């Protein structure tokens, strides 16, 4: 027979359940501005009806409901939007880093401008043209010497500054890798906390939020793939389990695990010990990934590409390539200029009746060009001491007309800049001006492409984030509505208790009084 007080119990359950829902609402409101917080909801479900199906069940018309309870407290989140967000975050991390890298390079090259290499070379050419007009003029010779010094110093400045920025990128790459390791450690720690809670049937929603926030941040550094494994025990069907984070990308095997069931693998970068000291490989736990095969997009890959990495038998990278271009331009130009200068005759040679081939540009380390190597030459090019100490060592005349007023060799020297086509890239012949313009043009196009893709991915990430926030963020209007709804339900349940009390009062105090 059904309990006389079942109505009170039903009302009590309703009050407790609505009170729990109000607590969830209060938690949502309190965390409305907490980064990474996902709004929660209390899932109501009916309690077991009375009576249970059994042989000795009471003979009543049917089952009677016994009230309500909060079956679970669940986050409101869509996994599909998380996957989309992390994909766009990963692309944005890559292209933003590339954009910043090219921006710094453009600032250093400073082209076109009145202080760049192109303008400095033009001024050197103009000084040679002035000397060709009056080859015996000491002032014109002095200007050629000073413009030559300025040209060499410009090469030195560009090379040293690009090298300095490249070194900064190596430091930033090391910091980024440390950040990746820190994020993986934090994800592992949260995984452990979740594993302690879930087997007891609870849903650690706040820990889920923290873990998702860490994975979001990690996705901007490297491309990750996330799967989940159950923590066992009496885990709820809504429990997410342990997050298994893997490194993904072109050519990477699924075995490249970042955070697994047993812990996390530390990521490190291996550099060359000699030469350009480019990135040779990346070490993930016991797995070694060649730098050329590391195709996991994100900030780490962009920094590696900008800094330089080993590919085959050589080194490639945005900054190593530009430094190599500067070295080639400085070396090939100086080699040809020295050759033309050595073939000519200076006033000292004409006056002394001797031939003493003088180098105009030399290597700063050896004070000679013959023993100079192309690698790093842009940082070492300088005017020879012979030219610095005596202006009469500048070869103005050709050997076929050895007179002081002959400017033919000066014109040949000027032709090295704008007329002579040389293999600055080792393959195609071009003038210094046209080759330098092609190098700057390629840099500008790459920079423009990085800016465009960074802008596009930023918009896509913002769009996905807005959709994600529309689902998961706390709406104060909605929470206020829920609060009123739960409050009224709570009041109604309390009123039901009053009603039940009045009914029982009638039964207890108003019945059985006949014959008193």
């Amino acid at each position: 027979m059904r309990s006389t007080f079942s109505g009170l119990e039903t009302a009590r359950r309703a009050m407790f359940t609505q009170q729990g829902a109000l607590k969830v609402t209060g938690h949502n409101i309190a965390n409305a501005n907490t980064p990474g917080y996902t709004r929660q909801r209390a899932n109501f479900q009916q309690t077991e009806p009375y009576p249970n199906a059994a042989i000795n069940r009471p003979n009543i018309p049917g089952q009677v409901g016994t009230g309500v309870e909060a079956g679970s407290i669940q986050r409101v989140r869509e996994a599909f939007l998380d996957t989309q967000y992390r994909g766009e975050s990963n692309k944005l991390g890559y292209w933003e880093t590339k954009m910043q890298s090219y921006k710094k390079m453009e600032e250093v090259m400073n082209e076109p401008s009145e202080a760049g290499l192109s303008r400095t070379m033009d001024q050197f050419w103009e000084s040679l043209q002035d000397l060709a007009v009056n080859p015996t003029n000491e002032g014109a010779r002095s200007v050629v010497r000073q413009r030559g010094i300025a040209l060499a110093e410009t090469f030195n400045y560009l090379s040293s500054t690009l090298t300095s920025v490249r070194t900064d990128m190596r430091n930033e790459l090391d910091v980024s890798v440390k950040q990746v390791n820190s994020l993986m450690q934090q994800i592992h720690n949260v995984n452990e906390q979740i594993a302690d809670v879930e087997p007891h049937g609870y849903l650690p929603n706040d820990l889920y939020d923290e873990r998702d926030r860490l994975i979001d941040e990690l996705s901007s550094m490297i491309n990750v793939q996330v799967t989940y494994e159950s923590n066992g025990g009496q885990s709820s069907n809504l429990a997410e389990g342990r997050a298994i984070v893997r490194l993904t990308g072109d050519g990477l095997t699924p075995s490249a695990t970042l955070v697994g069931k047993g812990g996390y693998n530390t990521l490190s970068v291996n550099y060359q010990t000699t030469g350009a000291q480019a990135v040779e490989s990346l070490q993930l736990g016991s797995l070694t990934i060649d730098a050329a095969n590391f195709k996991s997009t994100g900030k780490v890959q962009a920094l590696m590409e900008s800094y330089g990495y080993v590919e085959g038998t050589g080194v490639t990278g945005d900054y190593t390539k530009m430094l190599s271009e500067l070295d080639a331009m400085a070396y090939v130009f100086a080699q040809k200029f020295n050759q033309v200068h050595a073939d000519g005759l200076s006033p000292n040679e004409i006056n002394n009746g001797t031939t003493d081939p003088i180098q105009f540009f030399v290597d700063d380390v050896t004070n000679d060009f013959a023993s100079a190597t192309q690698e790093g030459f842009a940082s070492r090019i300088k005017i020879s001491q012979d030219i610095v100490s005596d202006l009469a060592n500048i070869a103005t005349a050709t050997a076929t007309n050895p007179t002081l007023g002959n400017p033919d060799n000066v014109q040949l020297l000027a032709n090295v800049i704008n007329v002579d086509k040389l293999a600055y890239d080792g393959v195609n012949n071009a003038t210094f001006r046209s080759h330098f313009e092609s190098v700057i043009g390629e840099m500008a196009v790459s920079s423009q492409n990085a800016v465009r893709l960074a802008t596009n991915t930023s918009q896509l990430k913002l769009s996905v984030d807005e959709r994600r926030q529309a689902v998961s963020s706390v709406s104060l209007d909605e929470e206020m509505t829920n609060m009123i709804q739960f409050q009224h339900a709570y009041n109604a349940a309390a009123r039901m208790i009053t009603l039940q009390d009045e009914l029982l009062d009638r039964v207890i105090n108003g019945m059985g009084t006949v014959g008193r």
Side-chain angles (χ1 to χ4, degrees):
M1 182 178 180
R2 191 178 182 189
S3 170
T4 306
F5 302 102
S6 63
L8 285 173
E9 176 63 18
T10 300
R12 184 192 67 80
R13 290 175 178 175
M15 289 182 67
F16 280 5
T17 303
Q18 302 303 330
Q19 190 178 35
L22 282 169
K23 289 178 179 176
V24 173
T25 302
H27 186 57
N28 285 340
I29 293 173
N31 289 282
N33 297 318
T34 302
Y37 179 77
T38 302
R39 70 186 176 95
Q40 302 173 6
R41 72 180 174 208
N43 293 325
F44 291 178
Q45 64 182 26
Q46 297 168 331
T47 54
E48 290 291 332
Y50 175 84
N52 295 325
I55 295 177
N56 59 346
R57 68 186 185 279
N59 188 17
I60 60 177
Q63 289 184 318
V64 179
T66 59
V68 66
E69 64 180 0
S72 61
I73 299 173
Q74 182 184 9
R75 295 191 306 161
V76 182
R77 200 174 179 102
E78 285 190 21
F80 175 68
L81 292 176
D82 285 341
T83 303
Q84 278 194 319
Y85 177 84
R86 287 163 191 165
E88 297 305 326
S89 175
N90 177 256
K91 295 173 188 172
L92 182 60
Y94 176 83
W95 286 114
E96 266 193 341
T97 306
K98 293 285 283 187
M99 181 182 69
Q100 294 297 330
S101 168
Y102 280 120
K103 184 180 178 182
K104 291 175 183 175
M105 185 184 290
E106 287 182 318
E107 289 173 353
V108 174
M109 298 306 294
N110 197 22
E111 295 287 350
S113 72
E114 290 297 317
L117 179 61
S118 178
R119 180 56 184 155
T120 306
M121 184 63 86
D122 285 345
Q123 291 173 338
F124 184 51
W125 180 83
E126 289 169 2
S127 69
L128 290 171
Q129 292 296 319
D130 292 341
L131 181 59
V133 173
N134 190 358
T136 59
N137 187 291
E138 284 290 319
R141 289 175 181 276
S142 176
V143 173
V144 168
R145 180 182 62 185
Q146 293 307 121
R147 294 299 187 192
I149 292 173
L151 178 63
E153 288 179 345
T154 301
F155 270 116
N156 298 158
Y157 167 78
L158 293 177
S159 180
S160 63
T161 308
L162 286 177
T163 302
S164 176
V165 175
R166 183 170 176 262
T167 303
D168 293 342
M169 287 189 171
R170 172 171 174 162
N171 296 333
E172 189 174 356
L173 176 59
D174 291 338
V175 170
S176 297
V177 169
K178 287 181 181 176
Q179 189 178 356
V180 168
N181 289 329
S182 173
L183 288 170
M184 290 193 295
Q185 183 183 21
Q186 292 179 64
I187 292 170
H188 169 68
N189 291 339
V190 176
N191 263 346
E192 291 297 307
Q193 295 178 53
I194 290 173
D196 290 340
V197 176
E198 280 187 344
H200 300 284
Y202 297 123
L203 294 176
N205 292 317
D206 295 335
L207 291 176
Y208 292 156
D209 284 345
E210 177 62 10
R211 187 173 62 184
D212 284 336
R213 186 188 67 77
L214 293 170
I215 294 175
D216 287 350
E217 192 174 346
L218 181 63
S219 68
S220 68
M221 312 293 291
I222 49 179
N223 198 359
V224 297
Q225 182 185 44
V226 185
T227 57
Y228 297 93
E229 289 185 1
S230 172
N231 282 312
Q234 298 180 353
S235 297
S236 166
N237 292 331
L238 298 175
E240 296 183 5
R242 180 185 294 272
I244 307 299
V245 185
R246 292 185 175 89
L247 183 68
T248 184
D250 295 340
L252 290 173
T253 62
S255 60
T257 302
L258 297 170
V259 182
K261 195 168 184 179
Y264 66 96
N265 290 314
T266 303
L267 182 66
S268 61
V269 181
N270 300 321
Y271 296 96
Q272 287 178 310
T273 55
T274 58
Q277 298 185 340
V279 177
E280 205 165 42
S281 62
L282 288 93
Q283 193 76 30
L284 181 62
S286 60
L287 179 66
T288 302
I289 306 171
D290 290 340
N293 296 330
F294 185 78
K295 302 298 182 185
S296 180
T297 54
K299 185 177 181 180
V300 170
Q301 188 190 12
L303 286 171
M304 191 184 72
E305 290 180 353
S306 298
Y307 173 72
Y309 61 95
V310 177
E311 185 173 34
T313 57
V315 173
T316 187
D318 300 330
Y319 276 74
T320 52
K321 183 179 179 182
M322 182 56 77
L323 285 167
S324 179
E325 291 283 3
L326 284 175
D327 289 341
M329 285 189 289
Y331 185 83
V332 174
F333 170 76
Q335 186 179 42
K336 180 65 177 179
F337 199 89
N338 282 344
Q339 179 186 341
V340 174
H341 191 265
D343 290 342
L345 294 175
S346 67
N348 284 338
E349 291 173 296
I350 294 171
N351 292 331
N352 297 332
T354 59
T355 54
D356 183 20
I358 295 175
Q359 297 170 336
F360 195 92
F361 294 105
V362 295
D363 191 308
D364 188 27
V365 176
T366 61
N367 282 321
D368 182 40
F369 186 81
S371 59
T373 57
Q374 181 171 309
E375 184 178 354
F377 185 72
S379 64
R380 305 190 302 270
I381 184 174
K382 74 168 188 176
I383 299 295
S384 70
Q385 190 58 38
D386 291 332
I387 302 297
V388 172
S389 59
D390 191 351
L391 292 174
N393 281 328
I394 298 177
T396 54
T398 56
T400 57
N401 183 15
T403 58
L404 294 177
N406 176 19
D408 292 349
N409 199 57
V410 180
Q411 190 59 53
L412 293 176
L413 289 172
N415 289 345
V416 176
I417 301 173
N418 288 337
V419 177
D420 293 343
K421 293 184 177 180
L422 306 173
Y424 290 103
D425 61 355
V427 180
N428 301 309
N429 291 330
T431 64
F432 181 91
R433 182 186 299 277
S434 63
H435 180 71
F436 186 61
E437 287 175 351
S438 70
V439 171
I440 296 299
E442 184 179 346
M443 177 191 69
V445 170
S446 298
S447 176
Q448 190 179 36
N449 187 50
V451 171
R452 179 176 60 82
L453 289 173
T455 304
N456 289 347
T457 51
S458 176
Q459 291 296 327
L460 288 172
K461 180 186 173 185
L462 180 63
S463 175
V464 174
D465 189 44
E466 286 177 350
R467 280 189 286 156
R468 193 165 74 157
Q469 292 299 320
V471 174
S472 301
S473 67
V474 176
S475 167
L476 291 178
D477 294 341
E478 184 177 345
E479 297 303 329
M480 290 301 291
T481 304
N482 289 340
M483 187 171 66
I484 293 171
Q485 179 183 344
F486 297 141
Q487 184 181 10
H488 280 301
Y490 183 88
N491 292 340
R495 187 69 183 88
M496 280 297 298
I497 289 179
T498 302
L499 173 64
Q500 292 293 331
D501 179 58
E502 291 175 354
L503 291 175
L504 291 173
D505 178 66
R506 173 60 60 188
V507 171
I508 295 171
N509 299 319
M511 295 178 65
T513 58
V514 179
R516 282 184 180 180

